[in-house]
Amino acid sequence: MREPVRRVLRRQVPGTKVAVPDLPAHLVSRPRLLAVLEEAGGVAVISVCAPAGTGKTLLLAEWAHRHGPVCWVSLDTDDNDERRLWSAVLGALETHPGIGRSGGLAAVDVPSSPDAAPAFLAAVGEVLEKLPEPVVLVLDGVQEITAPTARRELQSLLRHQPAGLRLIISGRLDPPLSLARLRLADQLAEIGAAQLQFTEAEAAALFAIAGVEVSADLLARLTEETGGWAVGLRLAADAAVREGGLEGLLAGHDRALQQYLDDELLSPLDDELRRLLVSVSVCPAVSPELARELSGRPDAAAALHDLRERVMVLEQAGTRDYRLPPLLRTYLVTDLGRRDPDRLAALHATAVDWFEANQSAVAALEHAVPAGNPGRLMRLLRRHGIELFVSGAHRALRQALGTLDEATLGGDPLLGLLLACLHLELGETGTAGLHLASADDAWPADPAPELIVLRQLTRARLAALTGKDFPSVAGEIDLELARRTGLRLLAVVERLCATDATGERARLEAVLTEAESAGQRHVVVRCLTLLSWAAGRSGDYRALSRFADVAKERTREAGRTVSGTIASAMSAYGSLLRAEPVEAAGEASRAGYLAGRWGPCSETELPAVAEVVRGAAEFELGDWYRGLRRMERARARMPAGDGTGAALCGLLEQRAALLLGAGDHARDVLRWSQEVHVRPGELALMRARAQLALGRHSLATHSLTLLFDGGAPTTVAWTPLEAMVTGARIALAADEREQARRWLERALSTAEETGVWYPLVFASPEVVEALTALLGRLGTRERFAARVLGRRRKLNCPPVPVPLTERERSVLRLLPTLRSIEEIAEDLTVSPNTVKTHVRGIYAKLSVSRRRDAVAVAIRQGLLEPRDEEFLG
């Protein structure tokens, strides 16, 4: 006979337990996840499962406040008592406005076991079904329900879930419930740890709310270091406010971080799981096999899976590997190093053996340094050093070589050459020369082919970066010998670098493909930068940008290197030609830090080119004086000859000087261009501009005739396009409208074909006015002309100020001195009336009526030179 169902009295439930949590002032709203919850509105159960500190409760609380009536239970260990559990559930349901504490649930008794009393849930369902909309019940913290009887109660609620009830179950572990039936019936929606990771935009909002300013690079690093972990980012913001920086937190020394990790993530783990977690923390990512070696546990794979559910252990996308967020790893490794340094070294030594056995030389080398065994480290460097260099593992090589003493390095020519190569990639030619000399001193009587070729490559790269006889030194590279080594592809690239690579693009692209396949990332980047340069020389500016942008991405993690600088310089040049001055200035500034550190060489004139491009971009953005002075400083460091850098500097700087009415400056640029042997085509264009500025239209036209009809050779492929725009200006000044139209049509055709927008977008106002007037009569060029004009309007750059005459500029420079008109006249050896005439002209052009205002406007427009500390940067 079935026993009668035992009834139990309901327990008193605190109001805070069944209230939706208040939202903190520093809440970061997460619309993308709120939308997921809204879209899941039709399912019976939503599961939100992720480790501590991922923002589960705040997300659900924000959604509850936005959504409307939501019933809430904050579960704790006391809810393992079945009477307290059901009292809390019923108490939460009674907070619904449609039910209330005096509603139908008040008369429902709490059974000791719903399994034995299906009428209980039927009675609850009867109350809920009377409401117009289903009731949403959030059970937050289900990981606290561990007692078998309490788990059965929750399972019973799921099994007999009333039709008028929607459940949201939130916890640190997968709910201890059977959800397979709901999943198969599409009645379950799930939000996991991966979805809860903060994006960079959400992290930026968090720091902004905390009042902490972080750079874009640091923000990206923090998001990566924390794995998008909400509490990690919050602790970072707090540390920045409290400590004034993030160094301690990123190094694993922040006390608040340590306490949170210990209390919330690690203390719930048993000793064996915690030991496993610490063991695998020495590696950024671990496979189950590596975890087994590090921990000595045969069941490491199953244990890792268990940890994935309980801690911030994430599965690596596309692999079988697991990884910890770097911030958690750093803390665990730092803590282990304090408590048991011998065990830490032993774990690294185990990792060295495992990675070397599995053909991962980079990882083996990275672990060999903290393993603390110099002999093993030397063996790895000798066996894999060249392979690691061409593969681009420069950071790991620098770290490893940096732990060896001078005597060890000085006695090993391979290590000396590797160090020299690494310093060359940082532009440190002096230090590289010292290591090269050290390798020569220790040179063996019978060197291996790899050693011979590596020395040849080192000498060639050093010559390239110092401009000392590079072609002949590069010609000494023995390609036949290099074929027998892992340096073959790099040797080919270095030889091509010493030639005019413009005609070798097909060969370079073949080397690029082979290097990609072989995993030689350093060779890949060298190919990309050389291809970008060659494309620019040949006028294929779209390819220039394409190769430069890929190289820039490949060098981003390497920091400030020669290759990265060249990639940024070329990318900046491409942006300027596309009439994107903001992007050009940004990329050029990243490249500019190495300007002037290298000698003259076709490849390494690019830092100076970057400064010219940056100056031109600043000029077009309205910082006229700063831009012109930057170009002038870059010209002083520009190598002579018919290289692209000198020609580009002459074209851009003279244009800016003429637009500002700085005739003397423009004449200096033309004179310099002649002295450094800029090619006749660019000189013809510069002379045409100078004659136009003087109003000598026929002479200006004659200079352009030499360029187009006389076949004057050019270095810069877009020089003819700039000459076409100049031709249109000359025709307009001479009131030859039809001739101006023909020039503009040719310019539009060339610009569309080459992708070079700069000369048209930043053309003079009269050319823009003429182009606008031609809309509707340009045939197939109509759409492109409209796009050019649209780009100009979108940029909304300020117009260049009306140029002052040379005499007006002389008077203007004396206005801030507060000298009288008579004193200025005496300084300039002219009459006071002449000075007054010039002052009136200055006032008219600057649209002012007082000397003080004239000085202020002139400084703002860049017509007056500020003090050096105000414009240098």
Side-chain angles (χ1 to χ4, degrees):
M1 180 176 177
R2 190 171 185 176
E3 294 182 6
V5 176
R6 182 170 60 88
R7 305 287 177 180
V8 295
L9 297 175
R10 287 169 64 172
R11 293 280 301 272
Q12 182 104 17
V13 178
T16 54
K17 183 178 179 65
V18 293
V20 177
D22 292 331
L23 299 178
H26 61 256
L27 175 74
V28 176
S29 183
R30 308 180 74 183
R32 64 182 179 88
L33 294 176
L34 295 173
V36 173
L37 291 169
E38 286 294 336
E39 291 166 5
V43 301
V45 178
I46 298 175
S47 170
V48 182
C49 173
T54 50
K56 303 179 296 297
T57 298
L58 282 181
L59 170 67
L60 292 175
E62 182 187 7
W63 178 80
H65 282 289
R66 288 169 175 259
H67 184 270
V70 171
C71 303
W72 188 287
V73 179
S74 297
L75 297 169
D76 54 48
T77 54
D78 288 344
D79 293 311
N80 284 292
D81 179 307
E82 57 194 23
R83 179 172 51 176
R84 179 181 171 88
L85 174 62
W86 282 111
S87 296
V89 170
L90 293 179
L93 293 174
E94 286 178 338
T95 64
H96 193 283
I99 299 175
R101 298 206 177 274
S102 59
L105 290 181
V108 176
D109 292 327
V110 179
S112 59
S113 175
D115 278 340
F120 164 68
L121 283 177
V124 173
E126 186 177 342
V127 174
L128 299 178
E129 287 168 5
K130 293 177 182 179
L131 300 176
E133 297 289 338
V135 174
V136 178
L137 174 62
V138 176
L139 300 176
D140 186 37
V142 292
Q143 77 278 352
E144 303 291 349
I145 306 302
T146 57
T149 54
R151 288 188 175 185
R152 281 200 300 271
E153 303 303 322
L154 288 183
Q155 188 64 55
S156 177
L157 177 60
L158 280 178
R159 188 166 56 250
H160 303 294
Q161 183 174 342
L165 181 66
R166 284 182 57 218
L167 283 174
I168 299 180
I169 301 171
S170 172
R172 297 181 182 181
L173 308 174
D174 277 341
L177 307 167
S178 177
L179 301 175
R181 176 180 56 82
L182 293 168
R183 196 175 281 119
L184 289 172
D186 289 330
Q187 285 299 304
L188 175 68
E190 297 175 275
I191 296 177
Q195 289 168 283
L196 286 163
Q197 291 175 32
F198 266 54
T199 64
E200 281 190 33
E202 291 167 343
L206 186 151
F207 279 92
I209 291 172
V212 177
E213 292 187 12
V214 291
S215 66
D217 289 343
L218 180 56
L219 184 68
R221 180 187 172 190
L222 282 169
T223 308
E224 170 62 25
E225 292 274 331
T226 60
W229 184 36
V231 163
L233 290 166
R234 166 54 56 190
L235 290 170
D238 291 345
V241 173
R242 184 178 63 251
E243 306 293 339
L246 294 166
E247 294 79 8
L249 180 128
L250 292 174
H253 300 306
D254 184 76
R255 188 176 299 277
L257 171 66
Q258 293 173 5
Q259 185 174 351
Y260 186 90
L261 291 174
D262 281 334
D263 293 347
E264 299 295 332
L265 283 184
L266 302 178
S267 62
L269 303 179
D270 61 42
D271 290 343
E272 289 300 315
L273 274 181
R274 184 161 181 164
R275 185 175 178 83
L276 170 68
L277 186 64
V278 171
S279 297
V280 300
S281 69
V282 299
C283 298
V286 290
S287 65
E289 294 79 12
L290 176 55
R292 189 162 52 244
E293 290 293 322
L294 291 169
S295 67
R297 288 183 57 158
D299 65 339
L304 278 174
H305 185 77
D306 187 21
L307 280 172
R308 182 183 65 83
E309 305 294 337
R310 304 178 65 176
V311 193
M312 288 292 293
V313 178
L314 308 173
E315 290 181 279
Q316 192 96 341
T319 71
R320 298 170 56 242
D321 291 352
Y322 293 85
R323 64 179 178 85
L324 295 174
L327 194 64
L328 177 56
R329 276 192 63 240
T330 300
Y331 164 75
L332 292 171
V333 171
T334 302
D335 186 58
L336 179 60
R338 282 194 299 261
R339 291 186 296 101
D340 193 348
D342 290 340
R343 184 186 170 208
L344 178 60
L347 287 169
H348 281 297
T350 300
V352 172
D353 292 338
W354 192 88
F355 281 116
E356 191 171 15
N358 286 273
Q359 287 77 50
S360 182
V362 177
L365 187 65
E366 289 172 340
H367 287 283
V369 173
N373 186 328
R376 171 178 284 181
L377 181 60
M378 289 283 290
R379 178 176 57 80
L380 282 170
L381 286 169
R382 290 186 179 123
R383 179 179 297 178
H384 302 292
I386 289 176
E387 169 197 344
L388 291 167
F389 178 72
V390 296
S391 71
H394 295 180
R395 194 186 301 274
L397 277 173
R398 287 192 195 99
Q399 183 182 18
L401 290 166
T403 64
L404 301 176
D405 58 65
E406 292 293 330
T408 301
L409 294 170
D412 193 311
L414 173 62
L415 302 186
L417 290 174
L418 286 173
L419 261 176
C421 289
L422 292 170
H423 283 289
L424 288 173
E425 290 312 306
L426 297 176
E428 298 169 354
T429 54
T431 306
L434 293 175
H435 288 295
L436 178 58
S438 177
D440 288 342
D441 291 342
W443 200 250
D446 186 22
E450 288 86 356
L451 203 58
I452 296 172
V453 176
L454 184 61
R455 181 165 70 168
Q456 293 171 347
L457 289 172
T458 307
R459 287 176 171 173
R461 190 68 164 148
L462 179 61
L465 297 181
T466 57
K468 296 178 181 178
D469 202 22
F470 174 47
S472 63
V473 175
E476 296 173 1
I477 297 172
D478 190 337
L479 293 181
E480 191 62 36
L481 187 63
R483 287 192 180 93
R484 297 158 49 191
T485 73
L487 294 165
R488 176 178 61 86
L489 296 177
L490 185 58
V492 172
V493 172
E494 207 66 59
R495 283 285 291 267
L496 289 174
C497 186
T499 64
D500 181 6
T502 305
E504 299 285 356
R505 279 183 60 181
R507 190 176 178 192
L508 270 172
E509 289 183 8
V511 173
L512 173 64
T513 301
E514 190 174 351
E516 287 271 24
S517 177
Q520 297 189 4
R521 291 184 58 191
H522 175 60
V523 181
V524 167
V525 170
R526 297 279 284 119
C527 283
L528 288 168
T529 54
L530 195 53
L531 280 166
S532 179
W533 177 249
R537 288 292 300 268
S538 65
D540 188 352
Y541 295 112
R542 291 187 177 89
L544 175 151
S545 294
R546 184 173 68 252
F547 288 128
D549 289 345
V550 175
K552 193 172 59 178
E553 283 300 314
R554 298 294 182 90
T555 57
R556 190 177 300 279
E557 295 179 2
R560 291 179 167 179
T561 63
V562 170
S563 295
T565 299
I566 294 171
S568 287
M570 296 304 296
S571 181
Y573 184 32
S575 295
L576 182 72
L577 295 184
R578 292 193 303 272
E580 298 171 352
V582 174
E583 292 80 356
E587 285 298 332
S589 68
R590 279 186 277 276
Y593 90 104
L594 277 177
R597 291 182 65 177
W598 306 325
C601 166
S602 63
E603 181 182 24
T604 53
E605 71 177 0
L606 280 171
V609 168
E611 283 293 280
V612 172
V613 169
R614 185 179 177 186
E618 289 172 341
F619 185 91
E620 302 304 349
L621 290 169
D623 202 349
W624 304 294
Y625 187 77
R626 182 190 297 267
L628 183 58
R629 284 300 302 269
R630 190 179 299 280
M631 287 187 273
E632 184 180 22
R633 293 196 302 272
R635 172 164 55 91
R637 296 192 290 267
M638 190 70 68
D642 61 354
T644 298
L648 187 65
C649 185
L651 289 177
L652 293 174
E653 188 182 355
Q654 189 219 26
R655 173 185 180 276
L658 289 174
L659 286 173
L660 285 178
D664 288 344
H665 190 138
R667 283 189 288 275
D668 287 343
V669 176
L670 178 56
R671 188 180 306 114
W672 172 83
S673 299
Q674 293 168 330
E675 291 171 355
V676 300
H677 307 297
V678 168
R679 301 185 82 179
E682 278 77 30
L683 292 176
L685 171 57
M686 294 169 71
R687 291 192 186 100
R689 287 170 169 171
Q691 298 294 349
L692 173 61
L694 295 172
R696 301 168 181 170
H697 304 149
S698 59
L699 290 176
T701 301
H702 177 69
S703 293
L704 287 189
T705 301
L706 291 177
L707 194 157
F708 287 105
D709 298 338
T714 63
T715 298
V716 178
W718 57 272
T719 294
L721 172 57
E722 175 68 17
M724 294 169 197
V725 176
T726 302
R729 289 184 62 200
I730 296 170
L732 289 169
D735 201 25
E736 297 174 354
R737 294 281 167 177
E738 186 57 29
Q739 179 62 29
R741 181 188 64 78
R742 287 194 290 270
W743 278 120
L744 286 176
E745 286 182 343
R746 289 180 65 184
L748 286 168
S749 176
T750 303
E752 187 173 20
E753 180 182 344
T754 60
V756 178
W757 293 40
Y758 173 76
L760 284 167
V761 170
F762 295 111
S764 61
E766 65 269 21
V767 171
V768 174
E769 183 181 345
L771 185 58
T772 304
L774 286 172
L775 290 178
R777 295 187 290 149
L778 291 172
T780 58
R781 306 299 172 196
E782 185 75 29
R783 176 177 293 183
F784 181 68
R787 291 174 64 197
V788 167
L789 294 171
R791 172 73 57 82
R792 182 183 175 94
R793 286 192 299 272
K794 185 176 180 181
L795 286 170
N796 195 29
C797 296
V800 178
V802 177
L804 305 180
T805 66
E806 290 295 333
R807 183 59 75 180
E808 287 170 342
R809 292 170 66 86
S810 298
V811 172
L812 177 63
R813 282 192 288 270
L814 294 174
L815 290 185
T817 65
L818 299 181
R819 292 178 177 146
S820 67
I821 294 295
E822 289 72 19
E823 289 171 327
I824 292 175
E826 185 177 348
D827 282 350
L828 297 178
T829 63
V830 297
S831 71
N833 285 336
T834 300
V835 173
K836 290 178 182 177
T837 300
H838 291 319
V839 169
R840 285 195 296 271
I842 292 169
Y843 286 1
K845 290 178 180 179
L846 299 184
S847 299
V848 299
S849 58
R850 298 189 306 168
R851 177 187 284 204
R852 181 187 298 275
D853 294 342
V855 171
V857 171
I859 290 175
R860 190 177 74 244
Q861 292 188 351
L863 297 172
L864 271 181
E865 180 176 347
R867 293 191 305 185
D868 286 352
E869 61 266 23
E870 294 175 342
F871 66 79
L872 288 176

